[in-house]
Amino acid sequence: MADLSRSIEDYLKAIYELGRSGLPVQTGALAEEIAVAPASVSGMVRRLAELELISHTPYRGVELTGSGRRAALQIIRRHRILETYLATVFAWDWDTVHAEAEQLEHAASERLIERMAEALGHPQFDPHGAPIPSADGHIEEQDLVPMAAVPIGTEGEFRLVSDEDAELLRYVASLEFTVGTRFEVIEALPFNGPVTVQRRAQGAQPQVIGFELAQALLCTRVGQAVAS
């Protein structure tokens, strides 16, 4: 596929993320995601349809075509490889790599990205736990639940958090939660109350996690916790 403009790449990535539910993406939601005026979205939607990157049904929404999906996953692969490289090789904190990768993803060549992936040992996940699409356009989505949904007395493993809120990432890091951290839910108050968890780490103390944060931290359920 011919080189795409930065704006087109941003739209394709946004449509992919918004359309992960399997439903068409409304143009209003797309305008809000990219932070542009609805009129700008309408013009770009026409352009993307002309390029056969999306299909657009009036009053229903837009969906990626096969070529549009492949292009979106290629962009996402670039972004997540760049984040991983910056975090691994330069030891940048996970709250700083997203903004830098947003800039670099539009300029980095596929050759450079593949050399980075090779140097990293072809990682499967980025620093925030998001799966990295393969070079041939395959992505292995995870079956995750919010921490708030892990039952009391059950062990979970923190696997994913959005990379877009740097302040949230800094706070999660201050709690000593990183991707792969295991914990037991020891209390969950009703009516969207906080969740109390115990990290599986030497000397760790119970931690109270607010409901909103517990909804943002996506996890796998490992099984019934073993009494210590």
Side-chain angles (χ1 to χ4, degrees), residues 22-221:
L23 298 175
V25 176
Q26 300 298 314
T27 54
L30 189 54
E32 185 176 347
E33 177 72 13
I34 302 180
V36 297
S40 297
V41 171
S42 297
M44 180 57 78
V45 163
R46 287 193 295 271
R47 174 64 175 148
L48 294 175
E50 289 171 358
L51 293 172
E52 299 183 347
L53 295 171
I54 65 166
S55 60
H56 177 219
T57 304
Y59 308 109
R60 177 172 166 81
V62 302
E63 297 177 277
L64 294 173
T65 61
S67 58
R69 186 176 189 276
R70 286 190 295 273
L73 288 174
Q74 186 178 56
I75 300 157
I76 291 168
R77 174 175 171 80
R78 271 189 248 151
H79 181 93
R80 294 178 181 173
I81 289 290
L82 285 162
E83 285 190 331
T84 307
Y85 195 87
L86 292 171
T88 303
V89 177
F90 296 150
W92 284 21
D93 293 333
W94 71 343
D95 58 287
T96 61
V97 296
H98 173 70
E100 194 70 22
E102 281 283 296
Q103 299 297 319
L104 295 173
E105 70 186 35
H106 302 289
S109 68
E110 296 309 318
R111 180 183 180 186
L112 175 60
I113 294 299
E114 295 316 311
R115 288 293 298 271
M116 286 180 170
E118 183 179 359
L120 293 167
H122 300 286
Q124 293 182 292
F125 302 95
D126 74 10
H128 314 97
I132 298 174
S134 64
D136 61 3
H138 177 72
I139 187 166
E140 196 70 46
E141 296 288 1
Q142 306 174 84
D143 185 15
L144 303 175
V145 298
M147 179 183 285
V150 178
I152 297 171
T154 299
E155 186 174 352
E157 183 175 308
F158 168 47
R159 294 302 312 162
L160 175 65
V161 65
S162 171
D163 61 2
E164 295 188 1
D165 189 333
E167 186 176 352
L168 180 146
L169 290 171
R170 284 191 290 273
Y171 182 70
V172 174
S174 75
L175 299 176
E176 299 187 51
F177 268 86
T178 57
V179 173
T181 296
R182 289 197 173 190
F183 59 90
E184 177 191 351
V185 176
I186 58 179
E187 185 180 40
L189 296 183
F191 306 109
N192 295 346
V195 176
T196 302
V197 301
Q198 175 74 60
R199 283 186 298 113
R200 291 303 193 191
Q202 186 70 33
Q205 299 297 313
Q207 294 169 291
V208 178
I209 309 294
F211 182 79
E212 185 177 352
L213 178 58
Q215 284 288 95
L217 303 180
L218 301 183
C219 310
T220 56
R221 176 174 169 175

